Amino acid sequence: MATTASIPSLVSVASVTLEVADVEAARRFYTAFGVDTHIRLRASEAPSTGFRGFTMALTVSGPATVDGFVAAAVEAGAAVLKPAAKSLWGYGGVVQAPDGTIWKIATSAKKDTGPATREIDEVVLLLGVEDVKATKQFYVGRGLTVAKSFGGKYAEFAPGQAGLVKLALYKRRGLAKDLGVPADGTGSHRLVLGSTADAFTDPDGFAWEAAAPLTPAPSTTPARS
């Protein structure tokens, strides 16, 4: 049975950093894909094989917008893991970026009610974990608030005031199956989360760092003489 809450989390995801082998190549890809403002990139040579245990998911307005994002990703060099198609819950597809990160683009709408756009309604980070209940309690202990919970299968946390990305937990094998990849994998997740609180590491090895404050943009107001 699902449980829900509407209270914002005291701790939330302030940033998502993907660790990649080639930062400039990844930046070009994510700019072309259209998600560059939602992630950060940094260089890493940490070894990683197979499934890294997470996916980034984009929720958009309709099937045409899903198709547009998938096409942009493929044109920029992504591989299609699951072609965009209708399902019981809506319409969506799965692609893998050249750096190895898996992205799911989906909508709950089965028909378009308007033209395709490049707008993203929601960005969700899905962590594949061994024990959803235990990891959920770990995060509750760190200050996150559960927004939705379906027993030991899935949990979703309420975003904090600074939360730009929604965090959710899914069984690792279930997530891999949904993405169309084998569940096995070793090494680095190649993912670091910026926390609105202190640094910590969760039971499945996902690392959180204290998020660096955003630097204000320089003023464009001309100086008075």
Side-chain angles (χ1 to χ4, degrees), residues 26-50:
R27 183 171 290 115
R28 289 193 296 271
F29 170 80
Y30 287 116
T31 299
F33 184 19
V35 301
D36 52 306
T37 59
H38 297 280
I39 59 170
R40 298 179 182 182
L41 301 169
R42 74 184 184 194
S44 173
E45 297 300 328
S48 181
T49 63

Side-chain angles (χ1 to χ4, degrees), residues 15 47 51 56 60-61 93 96 106 119 127 138 148-149 180 192 208 213:
S15 63
F51 183 41
M56 300 292 297
V60 298
S61 61
Q96 186 168 32
E119 295 180 2
L127 302 184
F138 172 84
K148 295 180 182 179
S149 179
V192 178
W208 291 63

Side-chain angles (χ1 to χ4, degrees), residues 171-187:
K171 291 283 289 185
R172 180 186 173 97
R173 291 194 174 278
L175 179 58
K177 182 178 180 180
D178 181 60
L179 300 173
V181 299
D184 297 332
T186 61

Side-chain angles (χ1 to χ4, degrees), residues 36-100:
D36 52 306
T37 59
H38 297 280
I39 59 170
R40 298 179 182 182
L41 301 169
R42 74 184 184 194
S44 173
E45 297 300 328
S48 181
T49 63
F51 183 41
R52 295 178 184 171
F54 74 94
T55 186
M56 300 292 297
L58 307 179
T59 302
V60 298
S61 61
T65 299
V66 170
D67 290 339
F69 274 100
V70 170
V74 171
E75 185 175 350
V80 176
L81 297 181
K82 277 192 172 182
K86 289 183 180 179
S87 68
L88 292 175
W89 48 261
Y91 183 87
V94 181
V95 299
Q96 186 168 32
D99 66 84

Side-chain angles (χ1 to χ4, degrees), residues 12-18 38-39 51-59 101-104 122-129 139 144 154-157 164-170 175 179 189-194 202 206-208:
S12 61
V13 181
S15 63
V16 174
T17 299
L18 302 178
H38 297 280
I39 59 170
F51 183 41
R52 295 178 184 171
F54 74 94
T55 186
M56 300 292 297
L58 307 179
T59 302
T101 303
I102 297 175
W103 291 80
K104 182 174 184 177
E122 188 174 60
V123 181
V124 182
L125 170 61
L126 271 164
L127 302 184
V129 302
Y139 278 118
L144 278 78
Y154 177 83
E156 185 178 289
F157 298 97
L164 302 178
V165 176
K166 182 182 290 184
L167 177 68
L169 308 176
Y170 200 12
L175 179 58
L179 300 173
H189 292 297
R190 299 287 186 95
L191 175 76
V192 178
L193 306 178
D202 82 356
F206 288 98
W208 291 63

